[in-house]
Amino acid sequence: MANNSYSGVKNSMVEANHDGEFGCTLNELRALMELRGAEAIVKIGESYEDIKGLCNRLKTSPIDGLSGQPGDIEKRKTVFGQNLIPPKKPKTFLQLVWEALQDVTLIILEVAAIVSLGLSFYRPPDAERTPGGVEDETESEAGWIEGAAILLSVVCVVLVTAFNDWSKEKQFRGLQSRIEQEQKFTVVRGGQVIQIPVAEIVVGDVAQIKYGDLLPADGVLIQSNDLKIDESSLTGESDHVKKTQEKDPMLLSGTHVMEGSGKMLVTAVGVNSQTGIIFTLLGTSEDDEEDEEEKKKEKEEKKKQRKTKAQDGAAMEMQPLNSDEAEAEEKKKSSMSKKEKSVLQGKLTKLAVQIGKAGLVMSAITVIILVVLFVVDTFCIQGLPWVKECTPIYIQFFVKFFIIGVTVLVVAVPEGLPLAVTISLAYSVKKMMKDNNLVRHLDACETMGNATAICSDKTGTLTMNRMTVVQAFIAEKHYKKVPEPENIPSSILDMLILGIAVNCAYTTKIMPPEKEGGLPRQVGNKTECSLLGFSNDLKRDYQAIRNEIPEEKLYKVYTFNSVRKSMSTVLKMADGSYRMFSKGASEILLKKCYKILTANGESKVFRPRDRDDMVKKVIEPMASEGLRTICLAYRDFPVSEGEPDWDNENDILSGLTCLCVVGIEDPVRPEVPDAIRKCQRAGITVRMVTGDNINTARAIATKCGILLPGDDFLCIEGKEFNRRIRNEKGEIEQERIDKIWPKLRVLARSSPTDKHTLVKGIIDSTVLEKRQVVAVTGDGTNDGPALKKADVGFAMGIAGTDVAKEASDIILTDDNFSSIVKAVMWGRNVYDSISKFLQFQLTVNVVAVIVAFTGACITQDSPLKAVQMLWVNLIMDTFASLALATEPPTEALLLRKPYGRNKPLISRTMMKNILGQGVFQLITIFTLLFAGEKFFDIDSGRNAPLHAPPSEHYTIVFNTFVLMQLFNEINARKIHGERNVFEGIFNNLIFCSIVFGTFIIQFVIVQFGGKPFSCVALTIDQWLWCTFLGFGSLLWGQVISSIPTSRLKFLKTAGHGTQKEEIPDEELDELSDNDEIDHAERELRRGQILWFRGLNRIQTQIRVVNAFRSSISLYEGLEKPESRSSIHNFMTHPEFRIEDSEPHIPLIDDTDAEDDVLINTPLQHKDCLHPSLLGNFCFSL
């Protein structure tokens, strides 16, 4: 029959291509998809008779799908559109230049430079009476050069900034398009089940959907098994919607499959799907310039939506324990702590604000002192009257003082910090991809360096996730290896193979090996693969049974979910009776068995005593060897009893007959024990949270090294865990959790809710001095809340469902625990890179500000000119951040304990280095400034007139200053007091090339810079002296590292994190309404320095600090609509709006948690990260 229908489709397709018409239009299908439930069924009945009629109109077959001919696919794309939404156009280079120009500090400099430029062309009529002695005509004619040079350097800064942003955006877009090509979805074409890129899905395709999928297009249900969809992303309703062909067959893009499986006919794609229509309304796909009012309205709406969502309550099927208000309160706190997440962000912003304030004060004092000294000197000491004609000359002096003040500010404000953070994180993220860590939220990378606890799944993460049946208990006999088929009664064998074939998801199969002699490929859920492999080992072909009983003929399927902990499939037999096959965790399913098959194929009564006997003699020995035990059972429903009530699951899933119990081996990954040892040495506690039997879990934990012989550790089951943490009323108490978690190492038979409770309990705990930073791995849909609650959530790239991937921060593309250890290394490296950069920059800041300030006060002129300061600023910002932020990580990073959330950014050792180097540089610079002319036998550059030519004296001061910074950059590579600062320097080519390149540019500036850079060419002797004094930084660094930090009691640390209690309540109220909690804003609201807001030069870089978890997020579902660029990320994880509210955790009865024992998650193709996975990888700077 299938063949006939398919050939009919083929012929009709030829006709379709010929006459170019489909039986329904794009608008008809759009209108159809806007209907829901009964309305939609009526409409389908009226217009197309039934779903098959719709298939015929769309020239497709419900069984075999489209033919897959390229011509037909192209035609469908032309008529019905492609399955993608055009991304928003990237910002042009000119737009980025304009953004970089918005910076307040640069604007102040530009204005000052233009005023200076204008005044330099003014000639007073009475040149004799000019104060301060302007040099002769030719010199005063050259007065315009300084103003022009400042303008030119501002242009350079702006172009460098804009180019940085442009290249970053280009890089992220390139990565995004590459990832979008890898996103796959399963469709049926030409009768074959294939995976195609999501963008290739067309109207008329028949797509297979399963638990954990994010739907990539709109469609109508053709066939379903127990299908439940979470439509909260489109409707805001958190209840799961049951989908059936009879009642509600409409499936919408952007919604999640929370249970079951099925097939759908694709009826709308891209901008014509429901998500696409919303996108178009939001204007995401166009490059529309929204005016301010629209943006405000949108913000208001978002606030309203958030408020309504906050009241929606839980999205998983869990009811909050507390009332709505309490939940909202809990949420406010939890979102606060979640936003508090980036430790580095808080510390950096606070530090930048403090330094900025200090810089602002210093620059203001500098300007005031210069003006006062000039006025006193000119009008009091020299006694000159104010001559009207000379006013522009006086103004010129004031402008010069103002420019000096602004340059002090430019050097003081560490605007390179955001750039260093961005570069360090972007570099790390790129490199982490090679280490199988796909980072979705940039700040997760840095948070991972502070991790103190990892709660890991067992299956696939610690083990290889290649499961095989190695022991079996069949027909009252325990086989230590897979039995020969002739040893098993044929009636039992036939029943067993039939049960395995139909009661495993049809998407799970065993494929031939890719290479000759290799192992067969397991596709789909690994536990099911082991059972199908068992069927092959028994010399039986499960595929033949599946061909005979296609999925459409299964009468009813109870798919695996976290409540059932088992899977059952019902077949209708020829005589009208029903037979149900079930499989599940052995100790759970055996409690529901009342008969067992004996050696002669007969069934006998199975009493509780027999069951206890079997647990002791069969299940526990299997589990103690690290095997996972699965029970296979069946039940017959005779015709005489009539059709059972299939919705009464408790009755249906009882009175089973046990077929067999199998022991499945999943070997520990060989690299895991070593990775866990590294974690323990690095001060990170590893805990195993698994759905497996406690004996299996204990055996695997011992093999991995999580449990060490002789240690005092807890290893408990989910049921016992729940009993211990709840009071008499069944409420969870933090004090009770605090008694358990420090010693807990293995939590077995746990549900996803237990995992969430444990993670929340550890994070909220105050038992230890340091707040714990928890990383969690998860693969199932129900792991979402735990992944979101954790500081860093790791989702499995291969075995993980789309929902889990969405809730996560990092995706492990190889599902391997040792990749988590790499993430810890990179995280610690980011932290160290920022500290190195800070150590270097603060030394330059301190020295440059003090030199400019004291020089200005004593000589009425800054020894370092405005243009020179801007060059120093460029060295220490852009170049140094590039050089120091790209240091590769080393194993040594894992030899120390985590820093913790309150560890200051600048340690006492770093403070020692900063002050020590600062003292050396200041002594050198001031010696050169006030005695250098005698030492080098040259003219003094002090007290030069207004437009005096550059002097050798000040050129030497400038050159020595820059060379000292260059050599100190090498010192800055080590921040823990190490002696060998050159160690591994050649592993970082970027560092070497930047130091060398800066030296070359400095040489060119000094020798050929002339008037614009206020430089004079130096002799070889003078160069050698400058280099020798610069090299002194390295030698002095060795002296500093010899002084023990412990002796220097006066040293203080700096750059502590913002504590929660520092935030006043009224601010918290305001903040709870915002999407982002901007640490800088919080600091600035306090007061005095309103205009500091603009001082962190290069606004885009500042936005990077704030954009950690929004615009850079590779995949953030609830971010601003304009930063989305793919149809598949629309409102991607609202179902976890419960985020951290306390979910209701039922006291688990005998049907204990079986987290991932069964059909937990059909495996996806290794490369196929789902559409939404990285849809938002757009760097909207």
Side-chain angles (χ1 to χ4, degrees), residues 413-432:
V413 172
E415 65 283 30
L417 273 183
L419 181 64
V421 176
T422 314
I423 290 174
S424 184
L425 287 172
Y427 170 77
S428 302
V429 166
K430 208 171 166 188
K431 294 285 185 188
M432 281 170 81

Side-chain angles (χ1 to χ4, degrees), residues 530-705:
S530 70
L531 294 172
L532 296 176
F534 180 49
S535 147
N536 288 347
D537 292 342
L538 294 171
K539 315 280 190 296
R540 294 298 181 93
D541 181 12
Y542 68 87
Q543 194 55 50
I545 296 171
R546 287 184 170 184
N547 294 343
E548 199 180 309
I549 309 174
E551 205 168 356
E552 294 76 28
K553 287 192 182 174
L554 302 179
Y555 189 77
K556 177 136 185 79
V557 179
Y558 297 95
T559 52
F560 176 85
N561 68 22
S562 61
V563 180
R564 285 190 194 116
K565 314 289 187 287
S566 65
M567 175 177 176
S568 305
T569 302
V570 181
L571 296 178
K572 188 167 186 177
M573 311 307 278
D575 60 358
S577 64
Y578 300 94
R579 174 169 287 168
M580 179 180 76
F581 290 100
S582 295
K583 67 173 188 295
S586 51
E587 60 267 49
I588 292 172
L589 219 55
L590 282 174
K591 288 177 183 169
K592 300 182 177 177
C593 290
Y594 82 121
K595 285 184 178 178
I596 188 166
L597 292 181
T598 59
N600 58 6
E602 303 286 313
S603 59
K604 70 165 188 178
V605 178
F606 187 61
R607 297 185 188 82
R609 192 177 63 242
D610 301 329
R611 185 176 68 224
D612 296 343
D613 213 31
M614 189 163 165
V615 167
K616 281 198 186 77
K617 290 183 177 169
V618 179
I619 292 170
E620 283 181 4
M622 282 185 184
S624 60
E625 290 176 42
L627 303 183
R628 156 184 284 190
T629 58
I630 299 281
C631 174
L632 303 171
Y634 76 99
R635 177 181 176 183
D636 284 326
F637 298 92
V639 184
S640 55
E641 290 177 13
E643 185 162 350
D645 174 9
W646 298 114
D647 292 333
N648 186 349
E649 284 185 39
N650 283 344
D651 281 358
I652 298 289
L653 204 66
S654 60
L656 303 177
T657 303
C658 174
L659 270 168
C660 81
V661 172
V662 293
I664 298 173
E665 181 182 49
D666 185 11
V668 171
R669 288 177 182 268
E671 62 275 25
V672 162
D674 186 44
I676 285 176
R677 262 197 307 279
K678 283 181 185 169
C679 281
Q680 289 163 341
R681 197 173 59 213
I684 302 168
T685 307
V686 182
R687 295 179 175 86
M688 181 200 284
V689 183
T690 176
D692 249 352
N693 174 315
I694 191 158
N695 295 321
T696 309
R698 195 184 282 119
I700 299 284
T702 309
K703 283 182 189 171
C704 293

Side-chain angles (χ1 to χ4, degrees), residues 682-786:
I684 302 168
T685 307
V686 182
R687 295 179 175 86
M688 181 200 284
V689 183
T690 176
D692 249 352
N693 174 315
I694 191 158
N695 295 321
T696 309
R698 195 184 282 119
I700 299 284
T702 309
K703 283 182 189 171
C704 293
I706 293 174
L707 295 179
L708 300 169
D711 282 346
D712 173 26
F713 290 137
L714 261 184
C715 184
I716 59 173
E717 287 194 341
K719 192 165 60 168
E720 173 66 8
F721 174 69
N722 269 294
R723 192 183 61 72
R724 289 197 194 185
I725 63 171
R726 292 171 187 276
N727 59 19
E728 301 71 43
K729 295 177 187 169
E731 292 164 343
I732 296 170
E733 287 186 358
Q734 184 64 42
E735 300 77 57
R736 289 170 180 253
I737 297 180
D738 288 345
K739 286 176 188 165
I740 294 175
W741 75 257
K743 284 188 176 181
L744 182 69
R745 289 297 174 273
V746 175
L747 183 58
R749 280 277 173 259
S750 66
S751 67
T753 332
D754 296 337
K755 189 190 265 189
H756 179 270
T757 308
L758 175 64
V759 171
K760 187 176 187 306
I762 297 177
I763 289 176
D764 294 347
S765 174
T766 50
V767 176
L768 301 182
E769 191 185 332
K770 285 182 182 174
R771 132 93 154 98
Q772 295 284 295
V773 178
V774 183
V776 170
T777 70
D779 55 6
T781 300
N782 289 341
D783 286 332

Side-chain angles (χ1 to χ4, degrees), residues 967-986:
F967 284 105
N968 191 36
E969 200 165 334
I970 299 172
N971 274 333
R973 291 183 67 246
K974 302 293 173 192
I975 51 173
H976 299 298
E978 299 92 330
R979 279 201 172 280
N980 183 4
V981 291
F982 291 99
E983 185 190 349
I985 194 166
F986 295 113

